[in-house]
Amino acid sequence: NVLILDFGSQYTQLIARRVRELNIYCEIYPYHKIPEDLSGFKAVILSGSPFSVRAEDAPHPDLSQIRGKLPVLAVCYGAQYLAHFFGGKVEPSDTREYGRANLSVIKDAEPLFENIKENSQVWMSHSDSIIDLPENAVRLASTSDVLNAAYRIDGEDTFAIQFHPEVYHSTDGKQLLENFLVKIAGTQQSWTPGAFVDLTVSELKEKIGDDKVVLGLSGGVDSTVAAVLLHKAIGKNLYCIFVNNGLLRKNEFESVLDQYKHMGLNVKGVDASARFLDALKGLSDPEEKRKAIGNTFIEVFDDEAHEIKDVVYLAQGTIYPDVIESVSVNGPSVTIKSHHNVGGLPDFMKLKVVEPLRMLFKDEVRRVGKELGIDKELLGRHPFPGPGLAIRILGDITAEKVRILQEVDHVFIQGLRDWMLYDKVWQAGAILLPIQSVGVMGDERTYEQVVALRAVESTDGMTADWVNLPYEFLQKTSNTIINRVKGVNRVVYDISSKPPATIEWE
Ligand code: XMP
């Protein structure tokens, strides 16, 4: 197990993902919450930070239980922190050092640099520089602009690097992490999807015993993988509920429900379309629509959960990015959880919670899903928002508008699949605009709806670029939509990126 101490860098999660890609388990802790018992950890990585070590409110944790006792790799701010506090000197650089640089290794006998090419490209992102190394430190590498690009404390397994090995632009970064974690710290590369499945299934068996568990399936990757894992552990005692809110893609409810049944899951499909549509009647404001859908879901799910006798647990598909306590750049963050009024909670929310995926990143959930034999198409699905088509119909929702958008979306998504573009796109969908425009069909003037198509590339949805889809594909798709979907006479393509736009229009 590897401990990653987070000083608030935007790259901290990336460090964790790279470590996991090496099949090594790691956990992120905020710098002000170092675990008291470190006996389970074999190595520590100190992350970067937006702070300057010289700033008064910068992270200055006590590392006395770590330094010299466990192998340490200090990255960027971490490297500066060690220098600043152990007799070195850190000062602002004349220019902010940002971007690619080439590493010149001085001590090539060091195991940290084994199998790393001379002049290997590394990624720099810092505005302070280490002017003097800390006591007993030996310089290991430089770049043309950064003299102290890497150092080691003599006689300790304490290493520090100014560049970011976790960023893809550091071409040998993963090798360096492997050198540190495997060669120097001796960690095992045993964190594989297979090992995770075995361990989790036995833990779930132990924890749950003969109790009953209820889980809401959404058709998405996380809830599906969570369900299959639980099913493996407790079989029929897992009760799955799949709610049709009437705002899913065309035929999605029927086909996904069918898939779930084929996987052997004990699943109940609940068609609550009318109830959702009723709750949405007359609502145009996006947040009000979201709230109405959320509340209706809770009511429907609660009704269904009551049908299961003596249920003890509620299972959720929570994943690691939702769990990590983030370090705020405005000082140590206190994550304030909203306090629910326990008396007013629906009954299922009072159940004990089980979250089998809470330590996994999204890419690991997919790998585990593959290990569990879940269909490739299901695992490769684009993300789809919980409120579904309701936030892609601008303005109020009616059954007719849902029908139109389902048809348009179907042509678009099926087209992406047929043209082998689906897997190149991170998320795609259609938006029904609340305007009509003039068109001509045959000899007749039409006055019908406009739809927008949206396709983006992204890694986590935080930023996104619109996808340069082939003109031919767009042309064909537009023709098919206008010819086939009654009520639409104009198709536009959204060419805005996030930021400043968002992925969804509402
Ligand atoms: P935005 O529009 O904020 O979307 O750029 C980023 C990602 O979040 C999804 N999204 C939602 N997912 N409930 C959800 O479950 C919501 O209310 C919601 N709003 C946006 C969106 O589809 C994209 O993947």
Side-chain angles (χ1 to χ4, degrees):
N1 195 353
V2 174
L3 168 65
I4 298 172
L5 215 50
D6 182 22
F7 292 118
S9 163
Q10 56 169 332
Y11 296 133
T12 305
Q13 285 196 31
L14 208 49
I15 301 180
R17 280 166 56 193
R18 292 288 165 271
V19 173
R20 301 271 188 102
E21 279 170 18
L22 292 165
N23 295 332
I24 297 169
Y25 184 70
C26 61
E27 286 177 20
I28 297 174
Y29 282 82
Y31 68 89
H32 50 91
K33 292 208 177 151
I34 302 176
E36 270 173 32
D37 179 11
L38 291 166
S39 59
F41 296 101
K42 296 201 81 171
V44 178
I45 298 178
L46 309 180
S47 87
S49 176
F51 285 100
S52 160
V53 282
R54 291 165 299 102
E56 223 168 89
D57 56 350
H60 292 160
D62 174 12
L63 297 180
S64 54
Q65 291 312 307
I66 292 175
R67 214 203 107 182
K69 298 187 173 144
L70 284 168
V72 172
L73 179 68
V75 173
C76 194
Y77 177 91
Q80 297 176 355
Y81 181 57
L82 288 184
H84 183 69
F85 272 85
F86 296 103
K89 196 158 121 194
V90 176
E91 285 192 343
S93 352
D94 300 336
T95 53
R96 192 178 143 78
E97 282 152 352
Y98 184 82
R100 294 173 178 80
N102 294 300
L103 201 65
S104 172
V105 177
I106 300 160
K107 292 257 178 189
D108 53 0
E110 277 293 336
L112 190 66
F113 290 107
E114 220 166 283
N115 295 324
I116 291 179
K117 294 180 286 294
E118 181 59 16
N119 288 323
S120 175
Q121 177 179 295
V122 293
W123 185 256
M124 291 284 183
S125 176
H126 58 110
S127 40
D128 281 353
S129 272
I130 300 167
I131 308 295
D132 294 327
L133 292 178
E135 277 165 31
N136 301 326
V138 187
R139 183 180 309 126
L140 299 183
S142 303
T143 69
S144 55
D145 289 333
V146 179
L147 179 65
N148 296 313
Y151 65 83
R152 174 186 190 158
I153 309 283
D154 211 18
E156 285 176 24
D157 280 336
T158 302
F159 298 85
I161 52 181
Q162 182 59 73
F163 53 91
H164 287 272
E166 68 276 17
V167 174
Y168 275 117
H169 303 295
S170 292
T171 41
D172 292 316
K174 208 164 149 182
Q175 179 69 55
L176 186 141
L177 288 172
E178 186 174 346
N179 290 345
F180 170 69
L181 293 170
V182 180
K183 294 211 173 77
I184 295 167
T187 57
Q188 302 283 322
Q189 289 175 288
S190 53
W191 175 251
T192 59
F196 172 82
V197 170
D198 291 346
L199 181 72
T200 307
V201 166
S202 71
E203 278 175 2
L204 289 170
K205 273 187 182 153
E206 170 89 1
K207 174 174 177 166
I208 299 168
D210 291 329
D211 286 335
K212 290 182 184 170
V213 178
V214 61
L215 176 147
L217 282 168
S218 71
V221 178
D222 301 342
S223 65
T224 305
V225 174
V228 174
L229 261 176
L230 278 155
H231 179 73
K232 219 173 141 78
I234 61 166
K236 292 285 176 207
N237 274 344
L238 173 68
Y239 291 75
C240 300
I241 297 169
F242 181 32
V243 175
N244 183 6
N245 58 12
L247 302 158
L248 303 174
R249 296 197 138 112
K250 187 183 173 184
N251 300 333
E252 178 123 314
F253 179 65
E254 297 74 12
S255 72
V256 174
L257 186 58
D258 220 41
Q259 270 180 300
Y260 283 146
K261 286 184 176 156
H262 271 104
M263 290 152 103
L265 294 176
N266 175 13
V267 53
K268 180 172 180 194
V270 181
D271 187 358
S273 306
R275 205 160 154 183
F276 280 88
L277 213 53
D278 202 43
L280 282 165
K281 202 171 272 166
L283 300 182
S284 300
D285 178 77
E287 290 316 308
E288 279 181 26
K289 290 196 280 186
R290 281 190 169 86
K291 223 178 278 165
I293 292 166
N295 290 339
T296 309
F297 180 82
I298 287 173
E299 286 168 26
V300 172
F301 194 84
D302 203 37
D303 288 353
E304 291 303 322
H306 275 128
E307 301 280 310
I308 309 161
K309 265 185 108 168
D310 303 325
V311 62
V312 177
Y313 286 96
L314 172 71
Q316 292 183 319
T318 316
I319 63 173
Y320 198 39
D322 308 328
V323 175
I324 298 169
E325 199 181 329
S326 61
V327 171
S328 151
V329 284
N330 304 314
S333 76
V334 193
T335 316
I336 300 161
K337 293 253 162 72
S338 45
H339 281 268
H340 298 289
N341 171 3
V342 175
L345 280 179
D347 290 332
F348 76 86
M349 282 183 149
K350 299 175 198 156
L351 297 173
K352 290 198 236 173
V353 173
V354 54
E355 299 171 316
L357 310 178
R358 63 179 279 118
M359 295 320 281
L360 298 189
F361 287 106
K362 191 86 181 181
D363 39 338
E364 292 178 303
V365 176
R366 291 213 169 85
R367 283 169 69 200
V368 166
K370 196 168 160 220
E371 175 76 25
L372 290 165
I374 298 172
D375 185 55
K376 223 173 75 201
E377 197 187 297
L378 215 163
L379 292 177
R381 278 243 184 105
H382 290 171
F384 188 70
L389 300 182
I391 56 168
R392 294 184 182 165
I393 294 171
L394 307 195
D396 70 322
I397 318 284
T398 63
E400 174 62 4
K401 288 183 190 175
V402 173
R403 184 202 64 81
I404 292 178
L405 190 57
Q406 279 180 335
E407 294 299 332
V408 171
D409 178 82
H410 184 69
V411 172
F412 184 35
I413 300 296
Q414 195 53 48
L416 288 171
R417 288 200 187 279
D418 293 345
W419 283 60
M420 312 296 260
L421 292 165
Y422 186 85
D423 292 329
K424 299 197 173 107
V425 169
W426 189 77
Q427 186 171 15
I431 299 99
L432 184 67
L433 306 190
I435 48 167
Q436 287 172 297
S437 79
V438 173
V440 54
M441 269 199 190
D443 292 331
E444 296 203 14
R445 176 186 183 278
T446 58
Y447 191 56
E448 294 177 334
Q449 304 279 156
V450 184
V451 292
L453 305 182
R454 181 95 166 117
V456 296
E457 279 165 6
S458 178
T459 47
D460 52 13
M462 302 297 287
T463 62
D465 287 317
W466 61 276
V467 181
N468 205 335
L469 293 174
Y471 280 165
E472 258 182 276
F473 168 76
L474 290 171
Q475 184 184 32
K476 187 116 203 307
T477 305
S478 159
N479 276 344
T480 312
I481 290 170
I482 294 172
N483 285 330
R484 213 187 278 169
V485 186
K486 203 170 148 269
V488 175
N489 68 355
R490 193 176 295 269
V491 176
V492 297
Y493 187 53
D494 183 349
I495 52 166
S496 3
S497 289
K498 173 183 181 176
T502 50
I503 296 175
E504 305 292 347
W505 282 38
E506 284 197 333

